[in-house]
mmCIF file of all heavy atoms in Angstrom:
data_model
loop_
_atom_site.group_PDB
_atom_site.id
_atom_site.type_symbol
_atom_site.label_atom_id
_atom_site.label_comp_id
_atom_site.label_asym_id
_atom_site.label_seq_id
_atom_site.Cartn_x
_atom_site.Cartn_y
_atom_site.Cartn_z
ATOM 1 N N ARG A 42 -38.038 -88.833 -80.294
ATOM 2 C CA ARG A 42 -38.364 -87.585 -79.523
ATOM 3 C C ARG A 42 -37.369 -86.516 -79.788
ATOM 4 O O ARG A 42 -36.220 -86.831 -80.150
ATOM 5 C CB ARG A 42 -38.290 -87.950 -77.947
ATOM 6 C CG ARG A 42 -39.375 -88.865 -77.574
ATOM 7 C CD ARG A 42 -39.573 -88.889 -76.042
ATOM 8 N NE ARG A 42 -38.432 -89.584 -75.372
ATOM 9 C CZ ARG A 42 -38.486 -90.232 -74.264
ATOM 10 N NH1 ARG A 42 -39.686 -90.461 -73.798
ATOM 11 N NH2 ARG A 42 -37.458 -90.678 -73.684
ATOM 12 N N GLY A 43 -37.802 -85.377 -79.664
ATOM 13 C CA GLY A 43 -36.906 -84.158 -79.717
ATOM 14 C C GLY A 43 -36.254 -84.116 -81.118
ATOM 15 O O GLY A 43 -36.947 -84.270 -82.189
ATOM 16 N N LYS A 44 -35.047 -83.705 -81.165
ATOM 17 C CA LYS A 44 -34.339 -83.533 -82.447
ATOM 18 C C LYS A 44 -34.259 -84.798 -83.256
ATOM 19 O O LYS A 44 -34.072 -84.775 -84.453
ATOM 20 C CB LYS A 44 -32.954 -82.887 -82.189
ATOM 21 C CG LYS A 44 -32.986 -81.495 -81.803
ATOM 22 C CD LYS A 44 -31.637 -80.816 -81.750
ATOM 23 C CE LYS A 44 -31.745 -79.389 -81.325
ATOM 24 N NZ LYS A 44 -30.466 -78.642 -81.182
ATOM 25 N N LEU A 45 -34.278 -85.895 -82.495
ATOM 26 C CA LEU A 45 -34.239 -87.212 -83.201
ATOM 27 C C LEU A 45 -35.432 -87.571 -84.100
ATOM 28 O O LEU A 45 -35.526 -88.428 -84.924
ATOM 29 C CB LEU A 45 -34.020 -88.312 -82.200
ATOM 30 C CG LEU A 45 -32.727 -88.192 -81.389
ATOM 31 C CD1 LEU A 45 -32.637 -89.266 -80.217
ATOM 32 C CD2 LEU A 45 -31.483 -88.468 -82.317
ATOM 33 N N THR A 46 -36.586 -86.746 -83.957
ATOM 34 C CA THR A 46 -37.686 -86.948 -84.797
ATOM 35 C C THR A 46 -37.321 -86.798 -86.260
ATOM 36 O O THR A 46 -37.869 -87.571 -87.165
ATOM 37 C CB THR A 46 -38.839 -85.960 -84.419
ATOM 38 O OG1 THR A 46 -38.278 -84.602 -84.479
ATOM 39 C CG2 THR A 46 -39.435 -86.375 -83.021
ATOM 40 N N ALA A 47 -36.403 -85.910 -86.643
ATOM 41 C CA ALA A 47 -35.963 -85.743 -88.021
ATOM 42 C C ALA A 47 -35.285 -86.968 -88.441
ATOM 43 O O ALA A 47 -35.489 -87.422 -89.729
ATOM 44 C CB ALA A 47 -34.995 -84.569 -88.110
ATOM 45 N N LYS A 48 -34.555 -87.579 -87.601
ATOM 46 C CA LYS A 48 -33.846 -88.906 -88.068
ATOM 47 C C LYS A 48 -34.912 -89.912 -88.274
ATOM 48 O O LYS A 48 -34.744 -90.926 -89.195
ATOM 49 C CB LYS A 48 -32.876 -89.347 -87.075
ATOM 50 C CG LYS A 48 -31.858 -90.279 -87.532
ATOM 51 C CD LYS A 48 -31.040 -90.980 -86.365
ATOM 52 C CE LYS A 48 -29.915 -90.015 -85.849
ATOM 53 N NZ LYS A 48 -29.133 -90.616 -84.797
ATOM 54 N N ALA A 49 -36.009 -89.982 -87.441
ATOM 55 C CA ALA A 49 -36.995 -91.037 -87.662
ATOM 56 C C ALA A 49 -37.708 -90.950 -88.999
ATOM 57 O O ALA A 49 -37.794 -91.953 -89.715
ATOM 58 C CB ALA A 49 -38.115 -90.843 -86.579
ATOM 59 N N ILE A 50 -37.854 -89.721 -89.502
ATOM 60 C CA ILE A 50 -38.357 -89.532 -90.866
ATOM 61 C C ILE A 50 -37.460 -90.093 -91.914
ATOM 62 O O ILE A 50 -37.794 -90.869 -92.875
ATOM 63 C CB ILE A 50 -38.759 -88.097 -91.154
ATOM 64 C CG1 ILE A 50 -39.713 -87.604 -90.091
ATOM 65 C CG2 ILE A 50 -39.190 -87.913 -92.572
ATOM 66 C CD1 ILE A 50 -40.046 -86.077 -90.192
ATOM 67 N N THR A 51 -36.105 -89.757 -91.788
ATOM 68 C CA THR A 51 -35.259 -90.176 -92.675
ATOM 69 C C THR A 51 -35.035 -91.769 -92.648
ATOM 70 O O THR A 51 -35.010 -92.372 -93.702
ATOM 71 C CB THR A 51 -33.711 -89.646 -92.332
ATOM 72 O OG1 THR A 51 -33.845 -88.248 -92.427
ATOM 73 C CG2 THR A 51 -32.569 -90.129 -93.203
ATOM 74 N N VAL A 52 -35.133 -92.354 -91.506
ATOM 75 C CA VAL A 52 -35.098 -93.802 -91.444
ATOM 76 C C VAL A 52 -36.336 -94.486 -92.159
ATOM 77 O O VAL A 52 -36.029 -95.432 -93.028
ATOM 78 C CB VAL A 52 -35.143 -94.282 -89.957
ATOM 79 C CG1 VAL A 52 -35.379 -95.890 -89.906
ATOM 80 C CG2 VAL A 52 -33.738 -93.968 -89.242
ATOM 81 N N ALA A 53 -37.427 -93.940 -91.973
ATOM 82 C CA ALA A 53 -38.593 -94.380 -92.714
ATOM 83 C C ALA A 53 -38.456 -94.257 -94.279
ATOM 84 O O ALA A 53 -38.796 -95.087 -95.007
ATOM 85 C CB ALA A 53 -39.851 -93.684 -92.246
ATOM 86 N N GLU A 54 -38.008 -93.115 -94.673
ATOM 87 C CA GLU A 54 -37.882 -92.834 -96.088
ATOM 88 C C GLU A 54 -36.732 -93.654 -96.725
ATOM 89 O O GLU A 54 -37.026 -94.188 -97.854
ATOM 90 C CB GLU A 54 -37.583 -91.267 -96.253
ATOM 91 C CG GLU A 54 -38.783 -90.449 -96.047
ATOM 92 C CD GLU A 54 -39.989 -90.763 -97.026
ATOM 93 O OE1 GLU A 54 -39.667 -90.607 -98.279
ATOM 94 O OE2 GLU A 54 -40.983 -91.182 -96.713
ATOM 95 N N VAL A 55 -35.611 -93.788 -96.090
ATOM 96 C CA VAL A 55 -34.586 -94.606 -96.653
ATOM 97 C C VAL A 55 -35.002 -96.044 -96.780
ATOM 98 O O VAL A 55 -34.816 -96.728 -97.750
ATOM 99 C CB VAL A 55 -33.221 -94.474 -95.887
ATOM 100 C CG1 VAL A 55 -32.232 -95.504 -96.208
ATOM 101 C CG2 VAL A 55 -32.739 -93.062 -95.964
ATOM 102 N N LEU A 56 -35.703 -96.483 -95.699
ATOM 103 C CA LEU A 56 -36.252 -97.886 -95.639
ATOM 104 C C LEU A 56 -37.122 -98.171 -96.855
ATOM 105 O O LEU A 56 -36.999 -99.096 -97.636
ATOM 106 C CB LEU A 56 -36.986 -98.243 -94.466
ATOM 107 C CG LEU A 56 -37.696 -99.486 -94.248
ATOM 108 C CD1 LEU A 56 -36.608 -100.640 -94.133
ATOM 109 C CD2 LEU A 56 -38.574 -99.558 -93.041
ATOM 110 N N ARG A 57 -38.058 -97.222 -97.119
ATOM 111 C CA ARG A 57 -39.066 -97.383 -98.163
ATOM 112 C C ARG A 57 -38.487 -97.297 -99.581
ATOM 113 O O ARG A 57 -38.686 -98.067 -100.513
ATOM 114 C CB ARG A 57 -40.135 -96.373 -98.132
ATOM 115 C CG ARG A 57 -41.093 -96.643 -96.956
ATOM 116 C CD ARG A 57 -42.454 -95.913 -97.115
ATOM 117 N NE ARG A 57 -42.181 -94.595 -97.495
ATOM 118 C CZ ARG A 57 -42.699 -93.939 -98.596
ATOM 119 N NH1 ARG A 57 -43.499 -94.679 -99.412
ATOM 120 N NH2 ARG A 57 -42.445 -92.761 -98.930
ATOM 121 N N ASN A 58 -37.614 -96.196 -99.701
ATOM 122 C CA ASN A 58 -37.037 -95.918 -101.003
ATOM 123 C C ASN A 58 -35.974 -96.808 -101.495
ATOM 124 O O ASN A 58 -35.813 -97.049 -102.672
ATOM 125 C CB ASN A 58 -36.605 -94.360 -101.079
ATOM 126 C CG ASN A 58 -37.708 -93.462 -100.934
ATOM 127 O OD1 ASN A 58 -38.893 -93.715 -101.238
ATOM 128 N ND2 ASN A 58 -37.488 -92.291 -100.327
ATOM 129 N N ARG A 59 -35.203 -97.271 -100.447
ATOM 130 C CA ARG A 59 -34.021 -97.978 -100.983
ATOM 131 C C ARG A 59 -34.087 -99.530 -100.805
ATOM 132 O O ARG A 59 -33.460 -100.322 -101.441
ATOM 133 C CB ARG A 59 -32.754 -97.550 -100.201
ATOM 134 C CG ARG A 59 -32.294 -96.200 -100.800
ATOM 135 C CD ARG A 59 -30.816 -95.938 -100.335
ATOM 136 N NE ARG A 59 -30.650 -94.541 -99.961
ATOM 137 C CZ ARG A 59 -29.597 -94.144 -99.138
ATOM 138 N NH1 ARG A 59 -28.768 -95.061 -98.583
ATOM 139 N NH2 ARG A 59 -29.607 -92.886 -98.829
ATOM 140 N N TYR A 60 -34.890 -99.909 -99.682
ATOM 141 C CA TYR A 60 -34.747 -101.365 -99.255
ATOM 142 C C TYR A 60 -36.024 -102.139 -99.407
ATOM 143 O O TYR A 60 -36.082 -103.266 -99.491
ATOM 144 C CB TYR A 60 -34.185 -101.473 -97.845
ATOM 145 C CG TYR A 60 -32.865 -100.925 -97.760
ATOM 146 C CD1 TYR A 60 -32.537 -99.653 -97.287
ATOM 147 C CD2 TYR A 60 -31.691 -101.687 -98.149
ATOM 148 C CE1 TYR A 60 -31.249 -99.135 -97.237
ATOM 149 C CE2 TYR A 60 -30.466 -101.261 -98.176
ATOM 150 C CZ TYR A 60 -30.151 -99.980 -97.743
ATOM 151 O OH TYR A 60 -28.904 -99.511 -97.627
ATOM 152 N N LEU A 61 -37.123 -101.411 -99.213
ATOM 153 C CA LEU A 61 -38.439 -102.083 -99.113
ATOM 154 C C LEU A 61 -39.513 -101.396 -99.894
ATOM 155 O O LEU A 61 -40.429 -100.713 -99.306
ATOM 156 C CB LEU A 61 -38.737 -102.227 -97.631
ATOM 157 C CG LEU A 61 -39.504 -103.368 -97.104
ATOM 158 C CD1 LEU A 61 -38.780 -104.701 -97.381
ATOM 159 C CD2 LEU A 61 -39.926 -103.183 -95.611
ATOM 160 N N PRO A 62 -39.460 -101.437 -101.199
ATOM 161 C CA PRO A 62 -40.420 -100.670 -102.029
ATOM 162 C C PRO A 62 -41.855 -101.099 -101.770
ATOM 163 O O PRO A 62 -42.818 -100.314 -102.072
ATOM 164 C CB PRO A 62 -39.933 -100.836 -103.416
ATOM 165 C CG PRO A 62 -39.100 -102.070 -103.396
ATOM 166 C CD PRO A 62 -38.511 -102.150 -102.043
ATOM 167 N N GLU A 63 -42.110 -102.228 -101.307
ATOM 168 C CA GLU A 63 -43.529 -102.619 -100.973
ATOM 169 C C GLU A 63 -44.056 -102.132 -99.602
ATOM 170 O O GLU A 63 -45.104 -102.492 -99.197
ATOM 171 C CB GLU A 63 -43.584 -104.202 -101.070
ATOM 172 C CG GLU A 63 -42.889 -104.940 -99.995
ATOM 173 C CD GLU A 63 -41.362 -105.327 -100.360
ATOM 174 O OE1 GLU A 63 -40.747 -104.533 -100.985
ATOM 175 O OE2 GLU A 63 -41.050 -106.452 -99.901
ATOM 176 N N ALA A 64 -43.169 -101.415 -98.944
ATOM 177 C CA ALA A 64 -43.683 -100.823 -97.647
ATOM 178 C C ALA A 64 -44.398 -99.415 -97.884
ATOM 179 O O ALA A 64 -43.927 -98.693 -98.789
ATOM 180 C CB ALA A 64 -42.420 -100.629 -96.771
ATOM 181 N N VAL A 65 -45.299 -99.262 -97.064
ATOM 182 C CA VAL A 65 -46.089 -97.947 -97.157
ATOM 183 C C VAL A 65 -46.105 -97.310 -95.701
ATOM 184 O O VAL A 65 -46.034 -97.984 -94.757
ATOM 185 C CB VAL A 65 -47.508 -98.043 -97.705
ATOM 186 C CG1 VAL A 65 -47.521 -98.574 -99.153
ATOM 187 C CG2 VAL A 65 -48.305 -99.039 -96.851
ATOM 188 N N VAL A 66 -46.239 -95.945 -95.665
ATOM 189 C CA VAL A 66 -46.479 -95.314 -94.396
ATOM 190 C C VAL A 66 -47.887 -95.358 -94.123
ATOM 191 O O VAL A 66 -48.747 -94.827 -94.776
ATOM 192 C CB VAL A 66 -45.992 -93.834 -94.467
ATOM 193 C CG1 VAL A 66 -46.263 -93.134 -93.248
ATOM 194 C CG2 VAL A 66 -44.522 -93.723 -94.867
#
Side-chain angles (χ1 to χ4, degrees):
Chain A
R42 294 195 289 213
K44 288 188 179 175
L45 296 172
T46 52
K48 199 191 286 182
I50 299 172
T51 298
V52 168
E54 286 295 301
V55 169
L56 177 69
R57 288 199 313 126
N58 292 331
R59 287 199 217 156
Y60 296 98
L61 210 62
E63 67 269 38
V65 294
V66 176

